[in-house]
Structure formats: C-alpha cells, structure tokens
Amino acid sequence: VQLVESGGGSVQSGGSLRLSCVASGFTFKDYTIGWFRQAPGKEREGVSLISITDGGLHYADSVKGRFTISSDNAKNTVYLQMNSLKPDDTAVYYCAAAWRGSTWAFLAYEYDHWGQGTQVTVSS
C-alpha cells in the first residue's frame, strides 16, 4: 500500500497550489481519501475528504469556499485544489486512506494508510 503526495511548495498569500495523492496497492473504490495537515506546534487536523465509493465530500470550515477536492478514479489519484491561500494554511499536508471511511467527519482513527506528506508554505 502506498500513498504519494506531490504539489506542495511556497506561494504568497492569495496564491494557489494543487496537491496530488496517488494511491496504489489497494482497491481504490472501497476507500475514503482524506487530506490532513499539521503545522509546527499544532495538532493534525482534517482538511477535506472524498469517498471514492459514493462521492461524498467534506471540508473543514477553515477551507470551505477556498479548497476543492476531486478524484480521478482511472488514475487512482485525489487532488486538492487550494485557492486564496493564507499564511495559516502553512503546514505539512498528508493524504490518507480509510476503508469505507466516514464522510461526515475527520475520524483519524479510521485511516490505516498515510503518505509521507508535502510541505505547503504561504508567505504574507
């Protein structure tokens, strides 16, 4: 099982980035893929998730209207389009996979597989 994130980088406030998460080694359609982030000195928090099974979506309040999650099931890939980035979005972003994971909340204990993370830095 492998999850590989890419697309992180450094941008100025108001800029955009698109993160990608490529999954392999498991039956993609049976999973919920979530994006989480962790900033220095802060706890990990859920950002967005998508159920590959039924298309359900969920966003943290802090990113609603700015971030969009999507999937390309043919490529076993989930994207996180991040617009109007703010310095508070600075963190390491991780994608994770949960078998038939919940789509109404970020229940970290459901996620069995995690990627290595990609750094996002937003400067003011």
Side-chain angles (χ1 to χ4, degrees):
V1 174
Q2 193 173 24
L3 295 167
V4 180
E5 305 97 333
S6 63
S10 297
V11 296
Q12 291 191 327
S13 183
S16 298
L17 286 172
R18 188 177 80 156
L19 305 184
S20 299
C21 172
V22 180
S24 61
F26 58 91
T27 306
F28 193 62
K29 64 179 179 66
D30 290 338
Y31 279 74
T32 294
I33 306 296
W35 285 99
F36 295 78
R37 66 186 181 187
Q38 188 165 21
K42 295 187 177 180
E43 292 188 356
R44 181 178 58 195
E45 63 174 350
V47 176
S48 184
L49 61 82
I50 182 168
S51 167
I52 306 305
T53 305
D54 63 15
L57 306 176
H58 186 63
Y59 294 94
D61 288 343
S62 59
V63 306
K64 281 180 181 176
R66 300 189 298 123
F67 291 11
T68 302
I69 193 168
S70 62
S71 69
D72 183 336
N73 295 350
K75 296 182 178 180
N76 281 14
T77 301
V78 171
Y79 303 99
L80 185 67
Q81 178 67 44
M82 306 186 296
N83 298 329
S84 303
L85 283 161
K86 306 174 182 179
D88 283 349
D89 296 317
T90 295
V92 177
Y93 284 69
Y94 301 90
C95 68
W99 185 80
R100 303 292 174 93
S102 304
T103 56
W104 61 85
F106 300 104
L107 303 178
Y109 64 83
E110 293 186 333
Y111 289 81
D112 295 325
H113 311 297
W114 293 79
Q116 294 294 328
T118 185
Q119 176 71 47
V120 171
T121 302
V122 184
S123 58
S124 58

